[in-house]
Amino acid sequence: MKCGLLIFMLISTCQCQIGGLSQYRKDSASGSSNCILELRKEDVSVTKENDVVSVTWKNAPNFDHCNITLHLDIFDTTGQLYSANTSFPSHDIIFPFIGCKVYNLSLVATMNVSSVVRVTFPIAFTKEPSPPTCKTAEIGTSFAVLECALNDEESQCDLSELIIDCKTESGQEMRKIVNADLISVRIENMTACTNYTCVAIVKGSDGQLSHPSTSIPIETKEGVPDPPTLHNVSSITNTSFVIKWAAPTNINGVLTRYRITVAPKNARYYIPQNCSFDDRIPQEYEADPDISSLTVADALSYYEYEVFVEAKTFAYGPRSEVKRVLTTGGSMILYPVNRKMLSLI
């Protein structure tokens, strides 16, 4: 259990009224030293634990022997809020105190009807803040925006921070701390296509923390994958080569396809300019997500190709690095001679 911090404002009044005169102590009619009615502010102890306030007259005389009763009142600017009588030198008050609000406590001790002593002073208690209420306003692939309402009906204490704690199913944790006057909180650096459970906590200026809010489920949107890792491209015959790759480091969703692009670049043999040879159109191949290699079997002999790979979730992500491969030499390909050009020679 947490103990509230009691704030005493030393502007109390302490007086005993007898026949219109004020004094701080009064002997009983018998004159017995055991029946001295004395009530001073410094003899009154007020403590708070959870919602129970204990008022104790620390140096009280013998209540049974001297027939002393206590009357307690709590009031604010609107009037009396609590009243009780007791014949014991201590009393527990169960009262819904508003945090940091100033109340007036009045303690009246009476002995044999004629002797009355009153002490009145202000009291205030800090109180644990109420949990905030938050909901999701926007969710992206790597961020979420929460809108939070601060429930301060039970406290007038200043709030300093709004804390958002999020955790994934795998145990990854992240925390966002903002000023308590912000009601919209943007959480960055989240992982795409991932389930988070978040809670919000309010911190008071006195350091007290509220209980966590109700859980806020967040599922970030699917993103495009990182580039695959293109391991190598190697020629196996004069008209074929093999391409090998690995899955992206961060898939950011559900991997559905690979796209492999093979682009002819340059022949390593002479082709006359007048020959109508243009076979440099890139070819695209697709592979299932559990495939990590592809053999190109219809390549040109002794030809240089560029190769790169892309991965797809709901859309294709950036391509891998580009690598070049040269098919090994084979039989030369003869192209027809342009007869019109020959006639000009």
Side-chain angles (χ1 to χ4, degrees):
M1 295 191 296
K2 300 180 179 178
C3 294
L5 174 64
L6 172 64
I7 304 172
F8 272 107
M9 300 182 182
L10 302 180
I11 55 174
S12 62
T13 60
C14 177
Q15 63 180 9
C16 170
Q17 297 179 346
I18 304 175
L21 300 177
S22 296
Q23 61 184 42
Y24 288 98
R25 56 188 292 164
K26 173 68 178 178
D27 293 350
S28 67
S30 64
S32 171
S33 60
N34 291 330
C35 291
I36 297 175
L37 182 60
E38 186 177 53
L39 181 61
R40 300 173 301 176
K41 176 181 65 63
E42 53 266 31
D43 290 333
V44 179
S45 171
V46 183
T47 59
K48 181 176 182 293
E49 190 168 343
N50 293 333
D51 286 332
V52 179
V53 174
S54 298
V55 181
T56 304
W57 184 357
K58 294 186 295 184
N59 297 323
N62 189 314
F63 270 56
D64 295 334
H65 177 71
C66 299
N67 192 26
I68 297 175
T69 60
L70 287 176
H71 180 78
L72 294 93
D73 285 316
I74 296 177
F75 54 93
D76 62 8
T77 55
T78 64
Q80 188 183 65
L81 304 175
Y82 179 88
S83 181
N85 290 313
T86 179
S87 58
F88 298 96
S90 64
H91 183 72
D92 289 340
I93 303 171
I94 301 177
F95 179 77
F97 288 92
I98 295 177
C100 296
K101 180 178 179 178
V102 178
Y103 298 88
N104 285 310
L105 173 65
S106 176
L107 181 62
V108 180
T110 304
M111 182 176 66
N112 296 330
V113 181
S114 60
S115 299
V116 178
V117 178
R118 179 189 300 272
V119 173
T120 302
F121 50 86
I123 58 172
F125 304 98
T126 59
K127 192 170 186 177
E128 179 183 286
S130 299
T133 302
C134 298
K135 63 179 181 180
T136 54
E138 184 181 359
I139 299 176
T141 57
S142 61
F143 73 92
V145 177
L146 301 182
E147 290 184 351
C148 298
L150 304 182
N151 306 316
D152 55 358
E153 294 86 357
E154 297 182 0
S155 178
Q156 295 179 0
C157 300
D158 293 333
L159 302 177
S160 61
E161 293 177 348
L162 175 61
I163 304 169
I164 308 294
D165 284 326
C166 297
K167 188 175 183 179
T168 65
E169 294 175 346
S170 62
Q172 179 185 358
E173 297 180 351
M174 60 190 312
R175 167 171 282 195
K176 178 78 172 185
I177 301 177
V178 298
N179 291 331
D181 56 354
L182 294 178
I183 61 173
S184 181
V185 183
R186 184 182 178 95
I187 308 169
E188 300 279 3
N189 301 319
M190 304 181 86
T191 303
C193 199
T194 302
N195 290 316
Y196 289 85
T197 300
C198 301
V199 295
I201 300 171
V202 173
K203 182 178 181 180
S205 56
D206 60 348
Q208 290 199 75
L209 298 175
S210 71
H211 287 294
S213 67
T214 55
S215 296
I216 311 157
I218 296 175
E219 182 179 355
T220 51
K221 293 183 178 180
E222 189 175 30
V224 296
D226 290 350
T229 300
L230 185 55
H231 285 315
N232 60 66
V233 183
S234 56
S235 177
I236 51 179
T237 70
N238 62 336
T239 59
S240 64
F241 55 88
V242 64
I243 306 166
K244 295 183 179 181
W245 66 89
T249 303
N250 296 307
I251 297 176
N252 299 324
V254 179
L255 188 63
T256 58
R257 301 291 288 172
Y258 287 109
R259 182 169 62 193
I260 304 96
T261 300
V262 177
K265 300 305 291 183
N266 299 296
R268 289 302 180 94
Y269 45 84
Y270 174 72
I271 300 177
Q273 292 183 356
N274 60 320
C275 293
S276 58
F277 176 77
D278 189 5
D279 200 14
R280 299 185 183 182
I281 300 174
Q283 299 295 313
E284 292 183 351
Y285 304 86
E286 290 192 344
D288 291 335
D290 57 343
I291 301 298
S292 59
S293 66
L294 172 72
T295 299
V296 177
D298 55 353
L300 296 173
S301 177
Y302 210 62
Y303 214 92
E304 188 177 45
Y305 290 86
E306 281 187 351
V307 177
F308 60 85
V309 183
E310 301 159 285
K312 180 182 180 182
T313 51
F314 74 95
Y316 280 105
R319 69 186 189 182
S320 68
E321 63 174 321
V322 178
K323 289 193 174 184
R324 291 198 173 197
V325 61
L326 177 66
T327 53
T328 55
S331 302
M332 294 295 293
I333 302 176
L334 301 178
Y335 296 94
V337 178
N338 190 314
R339 296 182 182 275
K340 184 177 181 180
M341 291 297 296
L342 286 176
S343 65
L344 297 176
I345 299 176

